[in-house]
Amino acid sequence: MLETIPLTLDAVRDVAKECFDDGWRLVTMSSVQVGDDSFDVLYHYDKDLVMKHYRLSIPKDTVVPSISPVYFCALLIENEIRDQFGICFSDIVLDFGGALYLEEEVRAMPFCKVSVAQKQS
Amino acid sequence: MARTILPFGPQHPVLPEPLHLKLTIEDETVVEALPTLGYVHRGLEKLCEVRDFNQMIQIVERVCGICSCLHALCYCEGVEQIMGVEVPRRAKYLRTIWGELHRMHSHLLWLGLFADAFGFESLFMQFWRVRERIMDIMEATCGNRVVVSVNVIGGVRRDLSPEQCQWIEEQLAVSEKEIKQLSTTILNDYTVKKRTVGKGVLTKEQAYQLGAVGPMLRGSGWAQDARQTGYAAFGELGFDPVVEYDGDSYARCAVRFRETLQAIDIARLAIARLPAGETATNVEGAMEDDTPKPVAAGERRDIMQAYNRDKRHRVTAAPPPNLDLPAGLVAAKVKGKPEGEAVTRVEQPRGELMYYLKGNGSKNMERVRIRTPTFANIPPLLAMLPGCELADVPVIVLSIDPCISCTER
């Protein structure tokens, strides 16, 4: 079973900064819908081939602080999550506005299972 | 100085797949690069909701043809981890052998394309000629040249006979000799060095901070390779990553060239140590039929006739082996459903591949998240391009070994 460390919204960027300073590499972020109205966002870090995983559980329409100001490589991952699940990230260094893969007129979030979320501007 | 925005791709002679970069240039120097993705997005991850978790193996194999075996391996290891399956040792070794064959043909493909990128057509053809031999091995052992489809949950669906192992070793020996003959040209030729040395430099710190993986990371001085985690049979084979320190296009080329030779060594060692035993194991209860099911005689004859009709095999260094599949081949049937989460990593030719899997106890996976190496290597590319000459952009872009079908999935 995957062991994850719980993460709060306020601590997202602080933890990222801590990991960055300690020499952890950001492997990626994963997101999964939990029930109708909430999501899990997992942050996967690696150091010397050892991984640790943080789990952020958020209700729908929560704006998550972007970690791209700390880890530049998070920009594509966060844009992808926004395309797929409609989760918005604040202060992302390069914001495609939900159009990394999708056309701008697409309104439905393709990876959301039950409810259809509207894009936020 | 006036700035010009220049579109690079999605259709460009150097790009095998459609990546679009918006390059801002001053005179002939790139000052900024922005990516545009989405030309070949297929939404394969989403298919986990409508396909059985066993069928997903065939889906993930089609994320990328060139490293299909490693996608399937990573997925199967994840599901096996969730379901608590211990794969037989022989299956682990067989997975390693086919995985390394994929590394060889992927690197040889890239070395050819890279030579082509700076106009060295004859070198391109030489590398691809050697690659054909590796493809022949996969065809002879799996029936397919690219998507070999050998991995199943609980093991592998194919086995290797002693005759096949010996033939593979002979083919690898010939390939190794031919690859070494090309080393002087790819590593020491003046024109190759002129186009690659000092181009697209990624420092050691940048490589780690920007999340580079694979030959990108190792070309910048990091001795990190997911094979060191010991998946499949790598824990028993001993393994030191290939490392270069200059962080430029030449260093990445040298890493891939040396890794091709190293993959031959690893495959040879795995064949030499191939343990006896089953190739698949029960998953969550008994298999439908535990009796080994050898291939029917009529089917063997068809395989042999089809093989003999193919004249390509007659030009190989040694005659092809008897293609009879060894007795004991088992069609593994999986019972039970995965419930839980797992993260698995394997080392693709292009770098670290990571799967996050979540099963909810039904026949469909709840989430299959795939992080491919090219996706991780795009941010480092965006950092490498500013400051370079426009003429060097194709070589630098190709030096990350971009695979856009992987990236967009």
Side-chain angles (χ1 to χ4, degrees), chain B residues 96-309:
Chain B
T96 304
I97 293 166
W98 279 305
E100 290 310 293
L101 286 171
H102 266 70
R103 192 175 317 283
M104 287 170 218
H105 96 82
S106 175
H107 279 350
L108 288 167
L109 178 135
W110 179 85
L111 286 161
L113 289 175
F114 194 56
D116 189 46
F118 47 74
F120 210 143
E121 296 284 342
S122 60
L123 191 57
F124 157 72
M125 288 186 281
Q126 293 295 330
F127 276 116
W128 278 38
R129 183 175 60 82
V130 182
R131 179 175 176 255
E132 282 299 303
R133 197 180 300 283
I134 309 299
M135 308 285 276
D136 286 346
I137 295 173
M138 291 196 283
E139 186 180 4
T141 53
C142 308
N144 279 327
R145 293 165 65 77
V146 180
V147 183
V148 295
S149 205
V150 290
N151 289 287
V152 290
I153 293 162
V156 287
R157 70 169 87 240
R158 300 261 182 190
D159 200 352
L160 294 177
S161 67
E163 295 77 25
Q164 284 177 317
C165 289
Q166 190 184 344
W167 179 73
I168 292 170
E169 284 184 336
E170 289 166 8
Q171 296 298 305
L172 291 179
V174 178
S175 302
E176 184 181 36
K177 186 181 168 192
E178 290 175 343
I179 293 168
K180 283 181 175 172
Q181 284 171 346
L182 298 173
S183 66
T184 311
T185 312
I186 191 71
L187 297 178
N188 296 326
D189 186 84
Y190 172 79
T191 54
V192 175
K193 284 190 163 182
K194 189 77 178 168
R195 293 301 309 275
T196 57
V197 172
K199 309 295 184 190
V201 175
L202 189 69
T203 65
K204 190 173 182 180
E205 292 71 27
Q206 279 180 319
Y208 206 75
Q209 290 167 4
L210 294 171
V213 293
M216 289 277 287
L217 189 63
R218 294 189 287 280
S220 294
W222 290 96
Q224 188 164 320
D225 189 312
R227 288 176 285 181
Q228 291 168 294
T229 58
Y231 70 86
F234 286 105
E236 300 178 13
L237 291 174
F239 170 75
D240 289 319
V242 172
V243 184
E244 294 282 335
Y245 296 93
D246 292 339
D248 56 5
S249 299
Y250 179 83
R252 294 187 277 277
C253 175
V255 167
R256 291 192 181 96
F257 182 82
R258 288 170 54 201
E259 280 187 357
T260 311
L261 293 170
Q262 187 187 50
I264 292 175
D265 281 342
I266 293 171
R268 202 182 273 151
L269 186 61
I271 289 170
R273 291 187 182 177
L274 189 62
E278 293 295 317
T279 58
T281 188
N282 291 359
V283 177
E284 192 75 18
M287 281 183 266
E288 280 186 354
D289 184 1
D290 282 343
T291 312
K293 296 174 184 169
V295 176
E299 199 179 335
R300 275 200 204 109
R301 194 173 54 247
D302 291 345
I303 293 170
M304 283 303 295
Q305 284 173 351
Y307 189 82
N308 289 334
R309 272 198 302 272

Side-chain angles (χ1 to χ4, degrees), chain B residues 298-375:
Chain B
E299 199 179 335
R300 275 200 204 109
R301 194 173 54 247
D302 291 345
I303 293 170
M304 283 303 295
Q305 284 173 351
Y307 189 82
N308 289 334
R309 272 198 302 272
D310 192 344
K311 293 181 180 176
R312 281 172 303 184
H313 294 281
R314 296 179 189 162
V315 300
T316 53
N322 187 344
L323 271 186
D324 284 359
L325 297 173
L329 185 71
V330 175
K333 295 291 181 187
V334 180
K335 291 185 175 179
K337 309 286 188 299
E339 185 168 13
E341 294 173 297
V343 168
T344 46
R345 292 188 289 176
V346 302
E347 187 72 16
Q348 256 191 11
R350 295 177 175 89
E352 175 196 75
L353 168 70
M354 194 209 89
Y355 272 59
Y356 164 73
L357 303 173
K358 184 175 183 185
N360 54 10
S362 74
K363 68 173 185 175
N364 303 119
M365 299 298 289
E366 189 168 340
R367 179 85 169 104
V368 175
R369 156 79 169 132
I370 307 170
R371 205 284 270 119
T372 59
T374 302
F375 190 88

Side-chain angles (χ1 to χ4, degrees), chain A residues 1-2 4 20 23-35 40 42 44 46-51 53 55 70-77 80-81 84-85 94 96 99-101 109-113, chain B residues 34-38 41 43 45-46 49 81 207-213 217 224-226 228-229 339-343 345 352 354 356 358 366-371 375-376 378-380 382-383 407-409:
Chain A
M1 192 59 70
L2 185 69
T4 56
F20 184 87
W24 290 81
R25 177 171 64 90
L26 177 69
V27 178
T28 194
M29 294 158 57
S30 306
S31 51
V32 58
Q33 188 172 356
V34 185
D40 277 356
L42 284 88
H44 310 281
D46 169 282
K47 187 178 181 182
D48 299 329
L49 294 168
V50 176
M51 288 185 84
H53 316 275
R55 186 189 300 274
V70 182
Y71 286 99
F72 176 76
C73 53
L75 74 99
L76 281 183
I77 306 167
E80 185 179 75
I81 290 173
Q84 293 175 338
F85 291 91
L94 180 60
F96 286 82
L100 178 68
Y101 297 136
M109 298 299 122
F111 277 64
C112 290
K113 286 175 190 163
Chain B
L34 292 174
T36 305
L37 302 173
H41 192 274
E45 292 176 0
K46 180 74 175 171
E49 292 170 20
Q81 198 175 309
Y208 206 75
Q209 290 167 4
L210 294 171
V213 293
L217 189 63
Q224 188 164 320
D225 189 312
Q228 291 168 294
T229 58
E339 185 168 13
E341 294 173 297
V343 168
R345 292 188 289 176
E352 175 196 75
M354 194 209 89
Y356 164 73
K358 184 175 183 185
E366 189 168 340
R367 179 85 169 104
V368 175
R369 156 79 169 132
I370 307 170
R371 205 284 270 119
F375 190 88
I378 287 180
L382 302 181
T407 304
E408 300 185 0
R409 310 172 299 289

